[in-house]
Amino acid sequence: MKRILQWVWVALVGLVVGLGQARATGPLKVFATTPDLADLVRQVGGDQVKVESLARGFQDPHFVEAKPSLIVKLMDADVFVQTGLDLEVGWAPLLIQSARNPRIQTGGAGFIDVSQFVAPLDVPTNPTRAEGDIHPGGNPHFLTDPENARMVARGIAEKLSSLRPADASTFKANAAAFEKKLDDKMKTWTASLAPYAGATFISYHKNLPYFAKRFGLVSVGEIEPKPGIPPSGGHTAELEAAMKAKKTRLILTQPYFEKRTPDSIARDTGATVVVFAMAPEAVPEATDYLSTMDSNVNGIVKVLSVP
């Protein structure tokens, strides 16, 4: 009897350990919170991963419905990848906790928070709710800077290698290939935007400080008076006055925000509204990370190049 109990105990321990490990063969099942992250995983993982994004590119990543269907998907996941810095705090924790999959729980071997690979901007010194929906760890929209995408791709390669050491050389090579394509694109994007360094813009939400810093654009303000707070008449009037003083011609917004206010500001100031895609799928021509940035750079240059 004692020997039987020992065998049962060994089997149970083995089962628990197994549940916490990625599957040994076949593509790793990876779920990313957003399409831009999903594409970076796809670029690095290649044939060794099967990747799906939980949010769509035209959805606001702050507000995604935690559907039961998403929980079911995560129950069989090997890897969960999130942006972090509380971008998905309203829905991702609920999904991974409800899935009860030890592989992807916070701190698990298959849990990846890619914010650990970048230096965040806009880190508040005294965060309070009076400042709106701010993020205590910093602004989470860091993938609008392609150099941060480079760091995230490297980090993903390291994490995937730790789960599949036998495929580490493949992940490293794939990451290097992505970086080569990124290098070529960076030369094009930098050259395209260089003539407009110092040009001003407004955005609907405070989600472009990384992009602006990388390419030398200057924000005059946001349509939201504070993050997550709807625009008011008084704030809009102040913003329009600032735009006219700075001769601002560019309004950047996303498909999930209402159009009435940006369009109204455009009519009052003579500026042009451009949809800045935060992720693939946000606009038709954005099919992956690189084409998304292509779309954004081309849209901005089209406006700023008009005399």
Side-chain angles (χ1 to χ4, degrees):
M1 184 63 182
K2 183 178 180 180
R3 181 178 296 276
I4 292 176
L5 289 175
Q6 287 176 334
W7 289 346
V8 170
W9 172 251
V10 170
L12 287 173
V13 170
L15 177 60
V16 171
V17 172
L19 287 172
Q21 295 176 339
R23 70 198 68 225
T25 59
L28 291 168
K29 286 190 175 181
V30 183
F31 289 88
T33 52
T34 56
D36 45 356
L37 276 180
D39 185 62
L40 294 178
V41 175
R42 194 174 294 113
Q43 296 293 332
V44 173
D47 295 336
Q48 303 304 315
V49 296
K50 184 178 180 182
V51 191
E52 185 174 335
S53 174
L54 298 175
R56 304 295 301 273
F58 48 77
Q59 286 183 292
D60 187 340
H62 296 87
F63 306 105
V64 174
E65 184 180 357
K67 297 179 180 178
S69 59
L70 300 182
I71 296 172
V72 172
K73 290 181 177 180
L74 293 182
M75 292 173 69
D76 192 37
D78 293 304
V79 183
F80 178 88
V81 187
Q82 69 173 23
T83 303
L85 298 180
D86 285 353
L87 177 69
E88 309 97 335
V89 69
W91 54 281
L94 176 61
L95 288 177
I96 59 177
Q97 289 168 15
S98 300
R100 297 181 181 276
N101 177 347
R103 290 189 290 262
I104 62 167
Q105 297 301 308
T106 303
F111 178 87
I112 306 176
D113 182 326
V114 301
S115 66
Q116 67 184 294
F117 306 127
V118 304
L121 300 177
D122 296 340
V123 181
T125 55
N126 184 28
T128 69
R129 293 295 296 173
E131 297 302 315
D133 292 335
I134 61 172
H135 299 269
N139 194 305
H141 303 287
F142 48 79
L143 285 178
T144 56
D145 179 353
E147 290 299 335
N148 282 337
R150 182 194 307 277
M151 303 310 294
V152 168
R154 291 178 183 176
I156 290 171
E158 291 181 5
K159 292 291 290 187
L160 294 181
S161 297
S162 70
L163 295 172
R164 283 280 180 83
D167 296 319
S169 60
T170 299
F171 298 139
K172 184 177 180 180
N174 289 346
F178 172 74
E179 287 196 51
K180 175 64 172 61
K181 290 187 287 187
L182 186 62
D183 287 340
D184 294 340
K185 287 291 186 180
M186 277 298 290
K187 292 177 183 174
T188 301
W189 297 330
T190 302
S192 298
L193 290 171
Y196 312 108
T200 57
F201 72 97
I202 67 166
S203 57
Y204 199 104
H205 182 69
K206 195 173 185 179
N207 51 11
L208 296 173
Y210 297 92
F211 182 88
K213 183 179 181 182
R214 175 59 57 192
F215 294 108
L217 302 181
V218 179
S219 173
V220 173
E222 291 80 40
I223 293 175
E224 292 178 332
K226 295 178 181 177
I229 304 299
S232 64
H235 174 73
T236 300
E238 292 177 0
L239 190 60
E240 289 184 357
M243 291 176 65
K244 291 175 182 176
K246 298 287 186 180
K247 302 185 185 305
T248 301
R249 296 189 291 157
L250 186 61
I251 302 172
L252 300 175
T253 187
Q254 282 72 52
Y256 40 80
F257 291 124
E258 52 89 14
K259 294 178 57 180
R260 182 179 59 81
T261 306
D263 288 346
S264 175
I265 293 174
R267 286 193 298 272
D268 292 346
T269 63
T272 300
V273 178
V274 172
V275 173
F276 187 103
M278 300 299 290
E281 292 187 327
V283 296
E285 58 271 27
T287 57
D288 56 20
Y289 181 83
L290 297 179
S291 62
T292 298
M293 296 304 297
D294 272 337
S295 171
N296 292 330
V297 172
N298 293 339
I300 291 171
V301 170
K302 185 177 180 180
V303 172
L304 297 182
S305 61
V306 176

